[in-house]
């Protein structure tokens, strides 16, 4: 009963549970459509995660089978190139899947405020941004300059 009260307060809907099935009734049609849309989005994301895992596993097994079948065969240059590309594609897909979510920044990051004169070195920081691109090249001294 506490769960029902928490759900009804949180969602603004009334919850009726029976032993056989869970039934949720909504106060408005908009609330129901919104909940259905959220469930569809969640379900689709879960499906895509599973599908990606299945496809990677399938590609791995296909490559292993090809290695086993073709290990003593002499392949043409085009066939060998295609196999190398397939292996590269698999390795890139696998590393991208592993690195997903580990990116440091997702999107645009606002630069620091270098116009703030209250901060220490405000004016110097402002001009250092302009000078970052244009660094003077260091030349070795010529023989005449060394004399």
């Amino acid at each position: 009963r506490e769960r029902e009260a928490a759900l009804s307060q949180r969602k603004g809907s009334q919850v009726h549970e029976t032993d056989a099935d869970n039934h949720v009734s909504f106060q408005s049609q908009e609330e129901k459509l919104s909940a259905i849309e959220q469930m569809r989005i969640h379900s689709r994301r879960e499906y895509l995660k599973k599908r990606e895992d299945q496809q990677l596993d399938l590609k791995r097994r296909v490559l292993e089978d090809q290695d086993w079948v073709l290990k003593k065969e002499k392949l043409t240059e085009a066939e060998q190139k295609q196999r190398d590309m397939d292996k590269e594609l698999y390795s890139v897909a696998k590393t991208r899947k592993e690195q997903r979510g580990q990116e440091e920044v997702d999107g645009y990051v606002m630069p620091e405020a270098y116009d703030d004169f209250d901060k220490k070195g405000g004016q110097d920081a402002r001009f250092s941004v302009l000078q970052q691109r244009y660094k003077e090249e260091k030349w070795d001294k010529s023989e005449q300059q060394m004399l």
Side-chain angles (χ1 to χ4, degrees), residues 32-93:
K32 180 179 178 181
L33 293 175
S34 174
I36 290 172
E37 188 61 31
Q38 291 298 321
M39 286 188 268
R40 282 183 183 157
I41 290 170
H42 178 72
S43 175
R44 180 71 179 164
R45 287 179 182 158
E46 292 299 315
Y47 166 75
L48 290 175
K49 285 179 188 176
K50 289 178 185 176
R51 176 76 176 165
E52 184 179 31
D53 291 339
Q54 288 174 348
Q55 291 298 312
L56 278 174
D57 186 50
L58 176 65
K59 190 64 173 176
R60 180 189 54 79
R61 288 187 287 143
V62 165
L63 288 172
E64 288 174 354
D65 289 347
Q66 285 179 351
D67 286 341
W68 183 75
V69 169
L70 301 173
K71 65 182 172 186
K72 294 182 181 177
E73 295 293 321
K74 177 91 171 146
L75 300 176
T76 65
E77 186 177 325
E79 290 171 335
Q80 186 61 39
K81 202 174 198 180
Q82 181 64 37
R83 287 186 35 74
D84 292 341
M85 285 176 45
D86 286 344
K87 287 180 181 181
E88 181 70 20
L89 177 67
Y90 172 72
S91 67
V92 167

Short mmCIF file of all heavy atoms in Angstrom, two decimals, residues 32-93:
data_model
loop_
_atom_site.label_atom_id
_atom_site.label_comp_id
_atom_site.label_asym_id
_atom_site.label_seq_id
_atom_site.Cartn_x
_atom_site.Cartn_y
_atom_site.Cartn_z
N LYS A 32 -1.31 9.31 -19.90
CA LYS A 32 -1.19 7.94 -20.40
C LYS A 32 -0.29 7.90 -21.63
O LYS A 32 0.60 7.04 -21.73
CB LYS A 32 -2.58 7.40 -20.75
CG LYS A 32 -2.57 5.99 -21.28
CD LYS A 32 -3.98 5.52 -21.58
CE LYS A 32 -3.99 4.13 -22.15
NZ LYS A 32 -5.34 3.68 -22.46
N LEU A 33 -0.50 8.81 -22.58
CA LEU A 33 0.32 8.84 -23.78
C LEU A 33 1.78 9.15 -23.46
O LEU A 33 2.69 8.58 -24.07
CB LEU A 33 -0.24 9.87 -24.78
CG LEU A 33 -1.60 9.53 -25.38
CD1 LEU A 33 -2.09 10.68 -26.25
CD2 LEU A 33 -1.53 8.24 -26.18
N SER A 34 2.00 10.03 -22.51
CA SER A 34 3.35 10.36 -22.10
C SER A 34 4.05 9.13 -21.50
O SER A 34 5.21 8.86 -21.80
CB SER A 34 3.32 11.50 -21.09
OG SER A 34 4.60 11.73 -20.58
N ALA A 35 3.34 8.41 -20.65
CA ALA A 35 3.91 7.21 -20.03
C ALA A 35 4.20 6.15 -21.07
O ALA A 35 5.25 5.49 -21.03
CB ALA A 35 2.96 6.67 -18.97
N ILE A 36 3.31 5.98 -22.03
CA ILE A 36 3.52 4.99 -23.09
C ILE A 36 4.74 5.36 -23.92
O ILE A 36 5.56 4.51 -24.27
CB ILE A 36 2.26 4.86 -23.97
CG1 ILE A 36 1.15 4.18 -23.18
CG2 ILE A 36 2.56 4.10 -25.25
CD1 ILE A 36 -0.19 4.17 -23.88
N GLU A 37 4.87 6.64 -24.24
CA GLU A 37 6.02 7.10 -25.03
C GLU A 37 7.33 6.86 -24.28
O GLU A 37 8.32 6.42 -24.88
CB GLU A 37 5.86 8.58 -25.38
CG GLU A 37 6.89 9.09 -26.34
CD GLU A 37 6.86 8.40 -27.69
OE1 GLU A 37 5.77 7.96 -28.12
OE2 GLU A 37 7.94 8.28 -28.31
N GLN A 38 7.35 7.12 -22.98
CA GLN A 38 8.55 6.87 -22.18
C GLN A 38 8.89 5.38 -22.14
O GLN A 38 10.06 5.01 -22.22
CB GLN A 38 8.36 7.41 -20.75
CG GLN A 38 8.31 8.92 -20.67
CD GLN A 38 9.58 9.56 -21.15
OE1 GLN A 38 10.68 9.07 -20.90
NE2 GLN A 38 9.44 10.66 -21.87
N MET A 39 7.87 4.54 -22.04
CA MET A 39 8.11 3.09 -22.04
C MET A 39 8.64 2.63 -23.40
O MET A 39 9.52 1.77 -23.47
CB MET A 39 6.82 2.35 -21.69
CG MET A 39 6.46 2.45 -20.23
SD MET A 39 5.07 1.38 -19.81
CE MET A 39 3.71 2.52 -20.03
N ARG A 40 8.14 3.21 -24.47
CA ARG A 40 8.64 2.86 -25.81
C ARG A 40 10.10 3.24 -25.96
O ARG A 40 10.90 2.47 -26.49
CB ARG A 40 7.82 3.58 -26.88
CG ARG A 40 6.50 2.97 -27.16
CD ARG A 40 5.79 3.70 -28.26
NE ARG A 40 4.47 3.13 -28.47
CZ ARG A 40 3.47 3.78 -29.01
NH1 ARG A 40 3.61 5.02 -29.42
NH2 ARG A 40 2.31 3.18 -29.17
N ILE A 41 10.44 4.43 -25.52
CA ILE A 41 11.83 4.89 -25.62
C ILE A 41 12.75 3.97 -24.82
O ILE A 41 13.81 3.54 -25.32
CB ILE A 41 11.94 6.35 -25.14
CG1 ILE A 41 11.26 7.28 -26.14
CG2 ILE A 41 13.40 6.75 -24.94
CD1 ILE A 41 11.11 8.71 -25.66
N HIS A 42 12.37 3.65 -23.61
CA HIS A 42 13.18 2.77 -22.76
C HIS A 42 13.32 1.39 -23.40
O HIS A 42 14.42 0.83 -23.46
CB HIS A 42 12.55 2.66 -21.37
CG HIS A 42 13.28 1.74 -20.47
ND1 HIS A 42 14.50 2.06 -19.93
CD2 HIS A 42 12.98 0.48 -20.03
CE1 HIS A 42 14.91 1.05 -19.19
NE2 HIS A 42 14.01 0.08 -19.23
N SER A 43 12.22 0.86 -23.89
CA SER A 43 12.23 -0.46 -24.51
C SER A 43 13.12 -0.47 -25.76
O SER A 43 13.89 -1.42 -25.98
CB SER A 43 10.81 -0.87 -24.88
OG SER A 43 10.80 -2.08 -25.58
N ARG A 44 13.04 0.57 -26.55
CA ARG A 44 13.84 0.66 -27.77
C ARG A 44 15.33 0.73 -27.44
O ARG A 44 16.15 0.09 -28.10
CB ARG A 44 13.42 1.90 -28.58
CG ARG A 44 14.17 2.09 -29.86
CD ARG A 44 13.77 1.07 -30.86
NE ARG A 44 14.50 1.29 -32.09
CZ ARG A 44 14.59 0.41 -33.04
NH1 ARG A 44 13.97 -0.74 -32.94
NH2 ARG A 44 15.27 0.67 -34.12
N ARG A 45 15.70 1.48 -26.42
CA ARG A 45 17.10 1.57 -26.03
C ARG A 45 17.64 0.23 -25.55
O ARG A 45 18.76 -0.16 -25.88
CB ARG A 45 17.28 2.62 -24.94
CG ARG A 45 17.16 4.03 -25.47
CD ARG A 45 17.31 5.06 -24.39
NE ARG A 45 17.14 6.39 -24.93
CZ ARG A 45 16.81 7.45 -24.23
NH1 ARG A 45 16.64 7.34 -22.93
NH2 ARG A 45 16.67 8.61 -24.81
N GLU A 46 16.84 -0.47 -24.77
CA GLU A 46 17.26 -1.78 -24.30
C GLU A 46 17.41 -2.76 -25.47
O GLU A 46 18.37 -3.53 -25.52
CB GLU A 46 16.25 -2.34 -23.28
CG GLU A 46 16.23 -1.59 -21.97
CD GLU A 46 17.56 -1.64 -21.25
OE1 GLU A 46 18.18 -2.71 -21.17
OE2 GLU A 46 18.00 -0.57 -20.77
N TYR A 47 16.48 -2.72 -26.40
CA TYR A 47 16.55 -3.58 -27.58
C TYR A 47 17.81 -3.29 -28.38
O TYR A 47 18.51 -4.21 -28.81
CB TYR A 47 15.31 -3.39 -28.46
CG TYR A 47 15.47 -3.99 -29.84
CD1 TYR A 47 15.40 -5.35 -30.04
CD2 TYR A 47 15.74 -3.18 -30.94
CE1 TYR A 47 15.58 -5.90 -31.28
CE2 TYR A 47 15.92 -3.71 -32.19
CZ TYR A 47 15.83 -5.07 -32.37
OH TYR A 47 16.02 -5.61 -33.61
N LEU A 48 18.13 -2.02 -28.58
CA LEU A 48 19.30 -1.65 -29.37
C LEU A 48 20.59 -2.09 -28.70
O LEU A 48 21.55 -2.49 -29.37
CB LEU A 48 19.31 -0.15 -29.66
CG LEU A 48 18.24 0.33 -30.64
CD1 LEU A 48 18.26 1.84 -30.75
CD2 LEU A 48 18.41 -0.31 -32.00
N LYS A 49 20.64 -2.03 -27.36
CA LYS A 49 21.82 -2.52 -26.65
C LYS A 49 22.00 -4.02 -26.90
O LYS A 49 23.11 -4.49 -27.19
CB LYS A 49 21.69 -2.26 -25.16
CG LYS A 49 21.90 -0.82 -24.76
CD LYS A 49 21.71 -0.66 -23.26
CE LYS A 49 21.72 0.79 -22.86
NZ LYS A 49 21.45 0.96 -21.42
N LYS A 50 20.92 -4.77 -26.75
CA LYS A 50 20.99 -6.22 -26.97
C LYS A 50 21.34 -6.54 -28.42
O LYS A 50 22.13 -7.43 -28.69
CB LYS A 50 19.66 -6.88 -26.59
CG LYS A 50 19.39 -6.89 -25.12
CD LYS A 50 18.05 -7.51 -24.82
CE LYS A 50 17.70 -7.42 -23.36
NZ LYS A 50 16.36 -7.94 -23.07
N ARG A 51 20.75 -5.81 -29.35
CA ARG A 51 20.98 -6.04 -30.78
C ARG A 51 22.45 -5.76 -31.13
O ARG A 51 23.06 -6.51 -31.89
CB ARG A 51 20.06 -5.14 -31.59
CG ARG A 51 20.24 -5.19 -33.07
CD ARG A 51 19.66 -6.43 -33.65
NE ARG A 51 19.80 -6.35 -35.09
CZ ARG A 51 19.66 -7.36 -35.89
NH1 ARG A 51 19.31 -8.53 -35.39
NH2 ARG A 51 19.82 -7.23 -37.18
N GLU A 52 23.01 -4.71 -30.56
CA GLU A 52 24.41 -4.40 -30.81
C GLU A 52 25.31 -5.53 -30.31
O GLU A 52 26.25 -5.94 -31.01
CB GLU A 52 24.77 -3.09 -30.13
CG GLU A 52 26.18 -2.63 -30.41
CD GLU A 52 26.50 -1.32 -29.73
OE1 GLU A 52 25.95 -1.04 -28.64
OE2 GLU A 52 27.31 -0.57 -30.29
N ASP A 53 25.03 -6.03 -29.12
CA ASP A 53 25.81 -7.15 -28.59
C ASP A 53 25.69 -8.38 -29.48
O ASP A 53 26.68 -9.06 -29.75
CB ASP A 53 25.36 -7.49 -27.17
CG ASP A 53 25.72 -6.41 -26.17
OD1 ASP A 53 26.64 -5.61 -26.45
OD2 ASP A 53 25.06 -6.36 -25.10
N GLN A 54 24.48 -8.66 -29.95
CA GLN A 54 24.26 -9.81 -30.82
C GLN A 54 25.03 -9.67 -32.12
O GLN A 54 25.65 -10.63 -32.60
CB GLN A 54 22.77 -9.97 -31.13
CG GLN A 54 21.94 -10.46 -29.99
CD GLN A 54 20.45 -10.45 -30.33
OE1 GLN A 54 20.02 -9.89 -31.33
NE2 GLN A 54 19.66 -11.09 -29.47
N GLN A 55 25.01 -8.49 -32.73
CA GLN A 55 25.69 -8.27 -34.00
C GLN A 55 27.21 -8.38 -33.84
O GLN A 55 27.88 -8.95 -34.70
CB GLN A 55 25.30 -6.92 -34.60
CG GLN A 55 23.87 -6.85 -35.07
CD GLN A 55 23.58 -7.84 -36.17
OE1 GLN A 55 24.31 -7.95 -37.14
NE2 GLN A 55 22.49 -8.57 -36.02
N LEU A 56 27.74 -7.84 -32.75
CA LEU A 56 29.17 -7.96 -32.51
C LEU A 56 29.58 -9.42 -32.30
O LEU A 56 30.60 -9.88 -32.82
CB LEU A 56 29.59 -7.12 -31.31
CG LEU A 56 29.81 -5.64 -31.57
CD1 LEU A 56 30.08 -4.91 -30.27
CD2 LEU A 56 30.95 -5.41 -32.53
N ASP A 57 28.78 -10.15 -31.56
CA ASP A 57 29.06 -11.56 -31.32
C ASP A 57 28.99 -12.35 -32.63
O ASP A 57 29.83 -13.21 -32.90
CB ASP A 57 28.08 -12.14 -30.30
CG ASP A 57 28.43 -13.55 -29.92
OD1 ASP A 57 29.61 -13.81 -29.60
OD2 ASP A 57 27.52 -14.41 -29.96
N LEU A 58 27.99 -12.05 -33.44
CA LEU A 58 27.84 -12.72 -34.73
C LEU A 58 29.05 -12.45 -35.62
O LEU A 58 29.61 -13.37 -36.23
CB LEU A 58 26.56 -12.27 -35.43
CG LEU A 58 26.32 -12.82 -36.83
CD1 LEU A 58 26.13 -14.32 -36.78
CD2 LEU A 58 25.12 -12.14 -37.46
N LYS A 59 29.49 -11.20 -35.69
CA LYS A 59 30.65 -10.84 -36.53
C LYS A 59 31.90 -11.54 -36.02
O LYS A 59 32.71 -12.02 -36.81
CB LYS A 59 30.83 -9.32 -36.53
CG LYS A 59 31.83 -8.84 -37.53
CD LYS A 59 31.35 -9.15 -38.92
CE LYS A 59 32.25 -8.53 -39.97
NZ LYS A 59 31.85 -8.91 -41.31
N ARG A 60 32.07 -11.61 -34.71
CA ARG A 60 33.23 -12.30 -34.14
C ARG A 60 33.22 -13.77 -34.52
O ARG A 60 34.24 -14.33 -34.95
CB ARG A 60 33.23 -12.16 -32.61
CG ARG A 60 34.41 -12.86 -31.93
CD ARG A 60 34.28 -12.87 -30.42
NE ARG A 60 33.02 -13.43 -29.94
CZ ARG A 60 32.75 -14.75 -29.85
NH1 ARG A 60 33.66 -15.63 -30.21
NH2 ARG A 60 31.59 -15.16 -29.39
N ARG A 61 32.05 -14.41 -34.40
CA ARG A 61 31.96 -15.83 -34.74
C ARG A 61 32.19 -16.08 -36.23
O ARG A 61 32.83 -17.06 -36.61
CB ARG A 61 30.61 -16.40 -34.31
CG ARG A 61 30.52 -16.53 -32.79
CD ARG A 61 29.27 -17.23 -32.33
NE ARG A 61 28.13 -16.32 -32.50
CZ ARG A 61 26.92 -16.70 -32.88
NH1 ARG A 61 26.67 -17.95 -33.14
NH2 ARG A 61 25.95 -15.82 -33.00
N VAL A 62 31.69 -15.18 -37.08
CA VAL A 62 31.90 -15.33 -38.53
C VAL A 62 33.39 -15.22 -38.85
O VAL A 62 33.92 -16.01 -39.64
CB VAL A 62 31.08 -14.27 -39.31
CG1 VAL A 62 31.54 -14.15 -40.74
CG2 VAL A 62 29.60 -14.59 -39.25
N LEU A 63 34.07 -14.25 -38.24
CA LEU A 63 35.50 -14.10 -38.48
C LEU A 63 36.28 -15.31 -38.00
O LEU A 63 37.21 -15.77 -38.67
CB LEU A 63 36.01 -12.83 -37.82
CG LEU A 63 35.59 -11.52 -38.48
CD1 LEU A 63 36.01 -10.33 -37.62
CD2 LEU A 63 36.15 -11.40 -39.87
N GLU A 64 35.93 -15.84 -36.84
CA GLU A 64 36.60 -17.04 -36.33
C GLU A 64 36.37 -18.23 -37.25
O GLU A 64 37.29 -19.01 -37.52
CB GLU A 64 36.11 -17.37 -34.92
CG GLU A 64 36.62 -16.41 -33.86
CD GLU A 64 36.02 -16.66 -32.50
OE1 GLU A 64 35.11 -17.53 -32.37
OE2 GLU A 64 36.44 -15.99 -31.53
N ASP A 65 35.14 -18.40 -37.73
CA ASP A 65 34.84 -19.49 -38.66
C ASP A 65 35.61 -19.34 -39.97
O ASP A 65 36.13 -20.33 -40.50
CB ASP A 65 33.34 -19.55 -38.96
CG ASP A 65 32.53 -20.05 -37.78
OD1 ASP A 65 33.13 -20.59 -36.82
OD2 ASP A 65 31.28 -19.90 -37.80
N GLN A 66 35.70 -18.12 -40.47
CA GLN A 66 36.46 -17.89 -41.69
C GLN A 66 37.93 -18.20 -41.48
O GLN A 66 38.58 -18.79 -42.36
CB GLN A 66 36.30 -16.45 -42.17
CG GLN A 66 34.97 -16.17 -42.80
CD GLN A 66 34.84 -14.71 -43.23
OE1 GLN A 66 35.68 -13.88 -42.90
NE2 GLN A 66 33.76 -14.42 -43.95
N ASP A 67 38.47 -17.82 -40.34
CA ASP A 67 39.86 -18.13 -40.04
C ASP A 67 40.08 -19.64 -40.02
O ASP A 67 41.08 -20.14 -40.56
CB ASP A 67 40.28 -17.55 -38.68
CG ASP A 67 40.47 -16.05 -38.72
OD1 ASP A 67 40.64 -15.50 -39.83
OD2 ASP A 67 40.45 -15.42 -37.65
N TRP A 68 39.18 -20.37 -39.41
CA TRP A 68 39.32 -21.81 -39.31
C TRP A 68 39.20 -22.48 -40.68
O TRP A 68 39.99 -23.37 -41.01
CB TRP A 68 38.25 -22.36 -38.36
CG TRP A 68 38.37 -23.83 -38.14
CD1 TRP A 68 39.30 -24.48 -37.38
CD2 TRP A 68 37.54 -24.83 -38.72
NE1 TRP A 68 39.09 -25.83 -37.44
CE2 TRP A 68 38.00 -26.07 -38.26
CE3 TRP A 68 36.44 -24.81 -39.56
CZ2 TRP A 68 37.42 -27.28 -38.64
CZ3 TRP A 68 35.86 -26.00 -39.93
CH2 TRP A 68 36.35 -27.21 -39.47
N VAL A 69 38.22 -22.06 -41.48
CA VAL A 69 37.99 -22.67 -42.78
C VAL A 69 39.08 -22.30 -43.78
O VAL A 69 39.54 -23.14 -44.56
CB VAL A 69 36.60 -22.26 -43.34
CG1 VAL A 69 36.44 -22.66 -44.79
CG2 VAL A 69 35.49 -22.87 -42.49
N LEU A 70 39.53 -21.07 -43.73
CA LEU A 70 40.46 -20.58 -44.75
C LEU A 70 41.91 -20.54 -44.30
O LEU A 70 42.76 -19.97 -44.99
CB LEU A 70 40.03 -19.17 -45.18
CG LEU A 70 38.64 -19.02 -45.76
CD1 LEU A 70 38.29 -17.57 -45.98
CD2 LEU A 70 38.51 -19.81 -47.04
N LYS A 71 42.24 -21.20 -43.19
CA LYS A 71 43.60 -21.08 -42.68
C LYS A 71 44.65 -21.70 -43.61
O LYS A 71 45.78 -21.25 -43.65
CB LYS A 71 43.72 -21.65 -41.28
CG LYS A 71 43.51 -23.12 -41.15
CD LYS A 71 43.61 -23.54 -39.69
CE LYS A 71 43.19 -24.99 -39.56
NZ LYS A 71 43.13 -25.39 -38.16
N LYS A 72 44.29 -22.71 -44.39
CA LYS A 72 45.25 -23.34 -45.29
C LYS A 72 45.00 -22.98 -46.76
O LYS A 72 45.66 -23.51 -47.64
CB LYS A 72 45.21 -24.87 -45.13
CG LYS A 72 45.68 -25.32 -43.76
CD LYS A 72 45.69 -26.81 -43.63
CE LYS A 72 46.15 -27.21 -42.24
NZ LYS A 72 46.12 -28.64 -42.03
N GLU A 73 44.05 -22.11 -46.99
CA GLU A 73 43.71 -21.71 -48.35
C GLU A 73 44.56 -20.53 -48.80
O GLU A 73 44.91 -19.67 -48.01
CB GLU A 73 42.23 -21.33 -48.45
CG GLU A 73 41.26 -22.45 -48.19
CD GLU A 73 41.30 -23.52 -49.27
OE1 GLU A 73 41.43 -23.16 -50.45
OE2 GLU A 73 41.19 -24.71 -48.93
N LYS A 74 44.83 -20.52 -50.09
CA LYS A 74 45.53 -19.39 -50.69
C LYS A 74 44.48 -18.41 -51.19
O LYS A 74 43.67 -18.73 -52.05
CB LYS A 74 46.39 -19.89 -51.85
CG LYS A 74 47.11 -18.85 -52.60
CD LYS A 74 48.47 -18.64 -52.01
CE LYS A 74 49.24 -17.71 -52.97
NZ LYS A 74 50.11 -16.86 -52.24
N LEU A 75 44.46 -17.21 -50.61
CA LEU A 75 43.46 -16.21 -50.97
C LEU A 75 44.03 -15.23 -51.99
O LEU A 75 45.23 -14.95 -52.00
CB LEU A 75 43.03 -15.43 -49.72
CG LEU A 75 42.39 -16.23 -48.60
CD1 LEU A 75 42.10 -15.32 -47.41
CD2 LEU A 75 41.12 -16.90 -49.07
N THR A 76 43.14 -14.74 -52.83
CA THR A 76 43.56 -13.70 -53.76
C THR A 76 43.79 -12.41 -52.99
O THR A 76 43.40 -12.28 -51.82
CB THR A 76 42.51 -13.46 -54.86
OG1 THR A 76 41.33 -12.95 -54.26
CG2 THR A 76 42.21 -14.75 -55.62
N GLU A 77 44.39 -11.45 -53.65
CA GLU A 77 44.67 -10.17 -52.99
C GLU A 77 43.38 -9.46 -52.59
O GLU A 77 43.28 -8.90 -51.49
CB GLU A 77 45.48 -9.28 -53.93
CG GLU A 77 45.95 -8.00 -53.29
CD GLU A 77 46.80 -7.18 -54.23
OE1 GLU A 77 47.56 -7.76 -55.03
OE2 GLU A 77 46.71 -5.95 -54.13
N ALA A 78 42.36 -9.54 -53.44
CA ALA A 78 41.08 -8.89 -53.14
C ALA A 78 40.39 -9.56 -51.95
O ALA A 78 39.82 -8.88 -51.08
CB ALA A 78 40.17 -8.92 -54.36
N GLU A 79 40.44 -10.89 -51.90
CA GLU A 79 39.83 -11.62 -50.79
C GLU A 79 40.55 -11.30 -49.47
O GLU A 79 39.90 -11.10 -48.44
CB GLU A 79 39.86 -13.12 -51.05
CG GLU A 79 38.93 -13.57 -52.15
CD GLU A 79 39.13 -15.03 -52.53
OE1 GLU A 79 40.23 -15.57 -52.32
OE2 GLU A 79 38.16 -15.62 -53.04
N GLN A 80 41.88 -11.26 -49.52
CA GLN A 80 42.65 -10.95 -48.32
C GLN A 80 42.37 -9.51 -47.86
O GLN A 80 42.23 -9.26 -46.66
CB GLN A 80 44.15 -11.12 -48.59
CG GLN A 80 45.00 -10.95 -47.35
CD GLN A 80 44.67 -11.97 -46.27
OE1 GLN A 80 44.40 -13.14 -46.55
NE2 GLN A 80 44.69 -11.52 -45.03
N LYS A 81 42.23 -8.61 -48.82
CA LYS A 81 41.92 -7.22 -48.48
C LYS A 81 40.55 -7.12 -47.81
O LYS A 81 40.38 -6.39 -46.83
CB LYS A 81 41.94 -6.39 -49.77
CG LYS A 81 42.16 -4.95 -49.58
CD LYS A 81 42.31 -4.28 -50.94
CE LYS A 81 42.94 -2.94 -50.80
NZ LYS A 81 43.10 -2.25 -52.08
N GLN A 82 39.57 -7.87 -48.32
CA GLN A 82 38.23 -7.87 -47.74
C GLN A 82 38.24 -8.43 -46.33
O GLN A 82 37.60 -7.88 -45.42
CB GLN A 82 37.27 -8.68 -48.63
CG GLN A 82 35.85 -8.72 -48.14
CD GLN A 82 35.19 -7.36 -48.15
OE1 GLN A 82 35.41 -6.55 -49.03
NE2 GLN A 82 34.37 -7.10 -47.14
N ARG A 83 39.00 -9.50 -46.10
CA ARG A 83 39.09 -10.08 -44.76
C ARG A 83 39.75 -9.12 -43.79
O ARG A 83 39.31 -8.97 -42.65
CB ARG A 83 39.86 -11.41 -44.80
CG ARG A 83 39.06 -12.51 -45.43
CD ARG A 83 39.69 -13.88 -45.36
NE ARG A 83 40.46 -14.23 -44.20
CZ ARG A 83 39.97 -14.52 -42.99
NH1 ARG A 83 38.67 -14.50 -42.80
NH2 ARG A 83 40.76 -14.85 -42.00
N ASP A 84 40.79 -8.45 -44.24
CA ASP A 84 41.46 -7.46 -43.38
C ASP A 84 40.51 -6.32 -43.03
O ASP A 84 40.49 -5.85 -41.88
CB ASP A 84 42.72 -6.92 -44.06
CG ASP A 84 43.81 -7.97 -44.19
OD1 ASP A 84 43.75 -8.98 -43.46
OD2 ASP A 84 44.71 -7.78 -45.03
N MET A 85 39.73 -5.87 -44.00
CA MET A 85 38.77 -4.80 -43.73
C MET A 85 37.70 -5.25 -42.76
O MET A 85 37.28 -4.49 -41.88
CB MET A 85 38.14 -4.32 -45.05
CG MET A 85 39.08 -3.46 -45.87
SD MET A 85 38.47 -2.95 -47.49
CE MET A 85 36.84 -2.44 -47.18
N ASP A 86 37.24 -6.50 -42.89
CA ASP A 86 36.24 -7.04 -41.96
C ASP A 86 36.79 -7.11 -40.53
O ASP A 86 36.09 -6.76 -39.57
CB ASP A 86 35.78 -8.43 -42.41
CG ASP A 86 34.87 -8.40 -43.61
OD1 ASP A 86 34.34 -7.31 -43.93
OD2 ASP A 86 34.69 -9.46 -44.25
N LYS A 87 38.04 -7.54 -40.41
CA LYS A 87 38.66 -7.60 -39.08
C LYS A 87 38.82 -6.21 -38.49
O LYS A 87 38.59 -6.00 -37.30
CB LYS A 87 40.02 -8.31 -39.16
CG LYS A 87 39.90 -9.80 -39.38
CD LYS A 87 41.27 -10.44 -39.45
CE LYS A 87 41.16 -11.92 -39.68
NZ LYS A 87 42.47 -12.58 -39.72
N GLU A 88 39.22 -5.27 -39.31
CA GLU A 88 39.39 -3.89 -38.85
C GLU A 88 38.05 -3.30 -38.42
O GLU A 88 37.94 -2.63 -37.40
CB GLU A 88 40.02 -3.03 -39.95
CG GLU A 88 40.24 -1.60 -39.57
CD GLU A 88 41.34 -1.43 -38.53
OE1 GLU A 88 42.18 -2.32 -38.36
OE2 GLU A 88 41.33 -0.38 -37.86
N LEU A 89 37.02 -3.56 -39.20
CA LEU A 89 35.67 -3.08 -38.88
C LEU A 89 35.20 -3.64 -37.54
O LEU A 89 34.67 -2.91 -36.70
CB LEU A 89 34.69 -3.46 -39.97
CG LEU A 89 33.23 -3.11 -39.75
CD1 LEU A 89 33.06 -1.60 -39.77
CD2 LEU A 89 32.36 -3.74 -40.80
N TYR A 90 35.44 -4.92 -37.33
CA TYR A 90 35.05 -5.54 -36.06
C TYR A 90 35.81 -4.93 -34.89
O TYR A 90 35.21 -4.61 -33.86
CB TYR A 90 35.29 -7.05 -36.11
CG TYR A 90 35.10 -7.72 -34.77
CD1 TYR A 90 33.83 -7.88 -34.24
CD2 TYR A 90 36.18 -8.15 -34.02
CE1 TYR A 90 33.63 -8.46 -33.00
CE2 TYR A 90 36.01 -8.73 -32.79
CZ TYR A 90 34.73 -8.88 -32.28
OH TYR A 90 34.55 -9.46 -31.06
N SER A 91 37.11 -4.74 -35.05
CA SER A 91 37.89 -4.19 -33.94
C SER A 91 37.48 -2.75 -33.63
O SER A 91 37.41 -2.36 -32.46
CB SER A 91 39.39 -4.28 -34.23
OG SER A 91 39.73 -3.43 -35.30
N VAL A 92 37.19 -1.95 -34.65
CA VAL A 92 36.75 -0.57 -34.43
C VAL A 92 35.40 -0.55 -33.72
O VAL A 92 35.18 0.20 -32.77
CB VAL A 92 36.70 0.21 -35.76
CG1 VAL A 92 35.96 1.52 -35.60
CG2 VAL A 92 38.09 0.45 -36.28
N ALA A 93 34.47 -1.38 -34.18
CA ALA A 93 33.14 -1.44 -33.56
C ALA A 93 33.25 -1.87 -32.09
O ALA A 93 32.58 -1.32 -31.22
CB ALA A 93 32.24 -2.39 -34.33
#
